[in-house]
Amino acid sequence: MFLDAKSLKATVAFSVLALAAGCSSAGTDIPGSGLHQTGSSGGGSGSSGGSSSGASSGGSSGSSSSGASGSSGGGSSGASSGSSSGSSSSSGSGGGGTTISADTTWADGTQIGSVTIAAGVTVTIAPGATVTVASGATITVSGTLTASSATVHAKLTGTKWTALAVASGGTLNLVGVDITGAATALQTLAGATSAEYDTGTITGATAPFNLAKGTALGTKNAAVTGTLGTSQIAGALTASYLDYDSNGYEGITTTDPTATESFEDCTLHGAGPDAGADMLISATGAASIHVAYTSIAQVHCAFHFDTVTAFDVSYTSMEGNAYGFMLYGSAGSGTRTVTYSNIDQNPYAFDTEGQNGPITFSNDYITGTQNPGDAVTVSNSSSAAVSGTGPRPQ
């Protein structure tokens, strides 16, 4: 099933409240500085970045101050560069958080509360490092957060931490970093410069991806597992060789008419058609959705499109779902094609309702009930499964 407006608004409201919530702290080590901040509740002023049309908004970023300790929790600024000590400790999420103001490296054993990487500053996650994030904490990237080892994975981990958020002017370039325990694993806020996440695994996120309008995330050879909610895309998501397990929840939904998505060589799957959750959803519109050489299985609908301007699906396998396509409102101009694909072992190949513009299925292998309505044209259907569908060998 797709997210109705009421459920979508509730999800968005929860995300915003979770990101805006403050936490009390008994203390936080300031990465790379050797300083320790103490605080009661609240502390430094937080700023939240917004996204539009249903995507949840931003993580809190603590404002900096010159003091290393205080009873009212003002944020502190890390003043030295270099590697952060593996023996550092943190006993809370850090009041208003700390600001990292010089280049540093997070080594194995680093523990952090809420931190903001300042503009112009680069934080590097060392290969193989385990970085523990305090409960309720947010990592806000206004500078650069980077890691570059595809073979020796690092880990950002913790219990019920809030988000890794790329803020205005921020850059994310993570290769080989596994993310566990975050409510929102990867979030781009308005004005984020760029975000790339490759060769890592996201586990147990309520929102694996949450992209604000006008922002973009690229991902290659990544995996999403143990999912506890829905990815929301108001910006641009480009994925290749992504293995995404929706785990019985709605999969990836667009939340803005300008959103774009591209999936190539991906494996998208869920907990079975009876779980009632769809995989690729256009809830409140999308500018374009491109899917090629991809497999979508074990969900209610492989595609649930309410409103979408344009889509093209090719060399894709949709098998073992309740529906291949629900096409419920793609009216207006725009190219909408499904070619050289297998829509097989689904009780319903496609169903149309509402106002749809022209949709063309050609050279596909189709089994199951077809309800073309006035919109769908089917031509040159294959009598046997189309070869070459699904992810291509790397």
Side-chain angles (χ1 to χ4, degrees):
M1 298 289 184
F2 70 99
L3 285 174
D4 58 30
K6 181 176 181 181
S7 299
L8 183 59
K9 289 179 180 177
T11 300
V12 174
F14 174 81
S15 300
V16 173
L17 288 173
L19 290 174
C23 296
S24 61
S25 171
T28 302
D29 289 287
I30 301 171
S33 69
L35 299 177
H36 186 80
Q37 171 194 330
T38 61
S40 55
S41 63
S45 62
S47 63
S48 62
S51 60
S52 64
S53 300
S56 68
S57 59
S60 299
S61 61
S63 63
S64 63
S65 71
S66 59
S69 64
S71 61
S72 60
S76 298
S77 174
S80 63
S81 60
S83 298
S84 58
S85 169
S87 63
S88 65
S89 64
S90 172
S91 57
S93 63
T98 62
T99 297
I100 301 173
S101 58
D103 292 355
T104 191
T105 296
W106 288 345
D108 188 36
T110 298
Q111 299 185 43
I112 59 173
S114 288
V115 295
T116 296
I117 301 170
V121 173
T122 296
V123 171
T124 302
I125 304 174
T130 294
V131 178
T132 302
V133 186
S135 178
T138 299
I139 301 171
T140 302
V141 183
S142 297
T144 299
L145 179 63
T146 185
S148 58
S149 177
T151 55
V152 182
H153 282 211
K155 183 182 288 187
L156 289 171
T157 189
T159 302
K160 296 182 179 179
W161 57 288
T162 303
L164 170 54
V166 188
S168 179
T171 298
L172 184 76
N173 188 6
L174 297 184
V175 178
V177 177
D178 300 329
I179 300 174
T180 64
T184 301
L186 295 172
Q187 183 171 37
T188 57
L189 306 179
T193 301
S194 66
E196 183 74 22
Y197 178 78
D198 299 337
T199 322
T201 298
I202 295 169
T203 303
T206 302
F209 308 130
N210 191 326
L211 310 185
K213 181 178 180 179
T215 67
L217 171 68
T219 181
K220 304 181 186 72
N221 297 295
V224 174
T225 187
T227 311
L228 299 175
T230 303
S231 289
Q232 299 181 40
I233 311 301
L237 174 65
T238 302
S240 61
Y241 293 98
L242 170 67
D243 187 321
Y244 191 108
D245 180 7
S246 62
N247 194 35
Y249 292 86
E250 305 283 25
I252 303 171
T253 181
T254 61
T255 59
D256 190 90
T258 64
T260 64
E261 294 178 334
S262 174
F263 301 90
E264 291 197 356
D265 302 292
C266 295
T267 302
L268 312 177
H269 50 102
D274 292 337
D278 306 331
M279 179 53 71
L280 298 182
I281 306 152
S282 172
T284 57
S288 66
I289 296 177
H290 164 76
V291 181
Y293 298 101
T294 288
S295 171
I296 307 177
Q298 294 300 305
V299 294
H300 187 260
C301 301
F303 297 89
H304 185 117
F305 290 159
D306 281 347
T307 56
V308 58
T309 301
F311 64 83
D312 67 282
V313 179
S314 63
Y315 291 99
T316 292
S317 171
M318 292 145 274
E319 297 181 346
N321 311 295
Y323 289 78
F325 290 82
M326 280 187 174
L327 303 165
Y328 285 2
S330 55
S333 60
T335 301
R336 305 172 189 92
T337 61
V338 182
T339 59
Y340 297 100
S341 294
N342 293 321
I343 312 168
D344 186 26
Q345 302 174 44
N346 314 291
Y348 292 87
F350 54 81
D351 184 41
T352 59
E353 291 183 13
Q355 301 265 331
N356 289 285
I359 302 167
T360 301
F361 287 74
S362 64
N363 298 286
D364 302 302
Y365 178 61
I366 304 174
T367 65
T369 300
Q370 303 175 37
N371 176 25
D374 297 329
V376 174
T377 300
V378 179
S379 63
N380 301 316
S381 293
S382 176
S383 60
V386 177
S387 62
T389 62
R392 296 164 289 188
Q394 296 195 67

